[in-house]
Amino acid sequence: MNNFDISLLEQKIGYEFKDKDLVKLALTHSSYANEMKINKYGNYERLEFLGDAVLELMSSLFFYNAYPDKNEGELTRLRSSMVCEPALAYCAREFDLQKFILLGKGEESTKGRERDSIISDVFEALLGAMYLDGGFSVAQEFVLSHVMKDLENKQLFYDAKTILQERVQQDGKTLSYELVKEEGPDHDKLFTINALIDNTVMGTGVGKSKKSAEQQAAYQILTKK
């Protein structure tokens, strides 16, 4: 990781770190730290721990203020859907965070850079680093700009299967999914799935898991309606 790479990331997130070592640590996966023989705390895991707590507080504060009529259970479900692993990975990919992660060769060869679990962890680590480097307001602005935006569309996407199932049942119809195509090696599969209403194909989705492809297909139908 060189200064150019760090400055490019800083441009994308709209924040310049005072401590460049801190942002580098946030981007360092344990596989890279092991290969480089960095000490056992020389990866993003501690920052991820902090970032997770910061994100929970800030998202809770946002939803508490934004939805005064929702009860605790509704707020909890809403927060969970917006800050879950796929949602954070989606937010991170919007500013290409995956391109800046420092991975070991083995993790790189098994497509670790594309895995939602790693990308979302690094997102939280980056948030933790921003909190330490710039304080509450800097971290809060990052959350508002990169997580708490376009919420209606995000919620529709992540709840697409459930929402579609409810609508189809209300209409007295049946919803089913069928696998159309499965391609690629075991560690990097790509699935194509059709969503059918009363046995008629209404939407098609492609994803790295069957669930993701089904979600895409359901979302496609919902956005047509």
Side-chain angles (χ1 to χ4, degrees):
M1 175 65 61
N2 55 47
N3 288 332
F4 171 77
D5 291 324
I6 291 175
S7 64
L8 182 59
L9 175 61
E10 288 173 334
Q11 288 174 29
K12 287 177 175 288
I13 64 175
Y15 177 72
E16 184 175 345
F17 279 84
K18 295 183 283 290
D19 184 349
K20 305 300 184 186
D21 289 336
L22 197 57
V23 63
K24 182 174 180 179
L25 184 62
L27 300 170
T28 302
H29 188 264
S30 57
S31 62
Y32 182 88
N34 291 337
E35 279 189 15
M36 296 294 107
K37 296 182 169 51
I38 302 170
N39 72 64
K40 64 179 179 178
Y41 298 122
N43 61 59
Y44 64 62
E45 291 169 6
R46 282 170 50 83
L47 282 173
E48 178 207 341
F49 165 79
L50 176 62
D52 178 66
V54 172
L55 179 61
E56 182 164 340
L57 171 61
M58 291 179 174
S59 58
S60 298
L61 185 62
F62 175 86
F63 289 122
Y64 179 85
N65 290 325
Y67 299 98
D69 297 329
K70 289 188 182 295
N71 62 34
E72 179 196 1
E74 291 172 320
L75 289 172
T76 299
R77 285 191 294 274
L78 184 58
R79 183 185 64 195
S80 296
S81 67
M82 290 300 103
V83 299
C84 63
E85 183 180 290
L88 293 183
Y90 175 91
C91 295
R93 287 189 178 98
E94 288 192 316
F95 60 90
D96 296 324
L97 179 60
Q98 72 280 5
K99 295 180 180 178
F100 298 91
I101 301 172
L102 293 168
L103 290 175
K105 292 176 183 175
E107 197 67 53
E108 188 80 73
S109 67
T110 56
K111 305 288 185 181
R113 193 174 300 280
E114 297 174 14
R115 282 212 295 276
D116 283 0
S117 56
I118 291 178
I119 298 172
S120 63
D121 285 352
V122 175
F123 184 93
E124 290 182 330
L126 182 64
L127 174 60
M130 293 180 76
Y131 178 78
L132 290 178
D133 194 74
F136 186 91
S137 61
V138 166
Q140 186 176 42
E141 179 59 34
F142 178 74
V143 170
L144 291 175
S145 299
H146 295 284
V147 182
M148 301 303 159
K149 65 171 188 175
D150 196 22
L151 287 183
E152 187 175 327
N153 194 48
K154 285 179 183 173
Q155 189 175 8
L156 179 62
F157 176 75
Y158 291 112
D159 295 338
K161 285 181 68 179
T162 302
I163 294 171
L164 182 60
Q165 182 68 50
E166 290 172 353
R167 290 188 184 178
V168 169
Q169 285 178 341
Q170 286 173 358
D171 293 339
K173 298 179 180 180
T174 60
L175 172 65
S176 60
Y177 297 91
E178 66 172 10
L179 179 63
V180 178
K181 189 165 57 174
E182 181 178 330
E183 53 192 335
D186 288 341
H187 67 270
D188 192 25
K189 290 280 189 185
L190 203 61
F191 300 91
T192 302
I193 285 180
N194 283 339
L196 300 88
I197 296 178
D198 282 353
N199 296 316
T200 299
V201 176
M202 301 296 290
T204 302
V206 178
K208 290 187 174 295
S209 69
K210 291 179 182 177
K211 181 180 178 181
S212 173
E214 288 172 355
Q215 203 84 332
Q216 290 276 5
Y219 180 71
Q220 187 183 97
I221 295 173
L222 290 172
T223 52
K224 283 179 183 175
K225 285 181 175 288

